[in-house]
Amino acid sequence: MLQIKDLYVIEWMGPYKSLDDMYQWEDVDSCFIYIITGRFAYKRSLGIKYIGITKRAPYIRLNDKDHQIKQEDIKCKQYWAGRFSISSYNILTDKKRYRAENVENLLIRYLSRINGVSLLNEKKRFKDPGKPIGIISLWKKRNTNDIRYYKPSILSKLPDTLIYMDHKFYVGEKIKIVQ
């Protein structure tokens, strides 16, 4: 059994109904990964449709012309922005892009294996992560730093804890608050 050397806590903020809405929240500038949720034309089910990473603020990347073309097929869009938590960020300053790509690859590969999930991402759908990696997702309320008690149902296919090890995925569906 291999050891997990890369374990990250991702703080997800959203949903943002538009890029202007996202722009108004200054903490989004520190985010490196984003999710677009919605539905495809002539489909009823809402869900995750695209996952991406960026060196710039997500609302800048999502406004690029090539990205606008990718988003044309998505209706009822909502945006989610994610960043490494402070505990993860301290070890990431030198290889942030490399590690962000590992997180993106894990999320895309996992979601592309789930029935009922259809992503626009093409490149990383069939490439397993090269080494053991784990992600804990914390969901924050929009425009605050308060943790959500419940993850929004549109993100139900994305587990709160996701680990890839020994060519297998291990998931923890829900982090609960104990008082």
Side-chain angles (χ1 to χ4, degrees), residues 47-145:
I48 298 170
K49 300 302 173 202
Y50 191 86
I51 297 173
I53 59 174
T54 181
K55 293 179 184 177
R56 303 173 286 163
Y59 55 83
I60 296 172
R61 172 67 181 121
L62 289 163
N63 240 344
D64 288 348
K65 188 175 183 177
D66 67 322
H67 218 294
Q68 288 292 322
I69 293 169
K70 287 180 191 175
Q71 297 179 54
E72 285 177 353
D73 294 339
I74 304 173
K75 309 299 179 205
C76 305
K77 284 185 274 221
Q78 291 183 337
Y79 303 95
W80 301 82
R83 67 177 174 207
F84 291 117
S85 73
I86 297 298
S87 60
S88 298
Y89 191 76
N90 292 335
I91 60 170
L92 295 172
T93 52
D94 57 338
K95 296 184 178 180
K96 187 175 177 183
R97 176 71 180 189
Y98 168 76
R99 294 170 194 235
E101 286 181 9
N102 288 340
V103 169
E104 178 193 35
N105 186 35
L106 175 64
L107 294 175
I108 293 169
R109 181 62 178 133
Y110 172 76
L111 288 171
S112 65
R113 297 171 59 122
I114 302 296
N115 286 337
V117 176
S118 54
L119 298 173
L120 287 174
N121 298 82
E122 292 294 326
K123 291 181 183 175
K124 298 181 180 181
R125 286 179 36 200
F126 304 107
K127 181 182 175 198
D128 282 339
K131 58 184 176 179
I133 181 174
I135 299 171
I136 299 171
S137 293
L138 296 177
W139 303 93
K140 293 194 168 193
K141 293 180 182 175
R142 184 176 164 244
N143 297 344
T144 70
N145 280 324

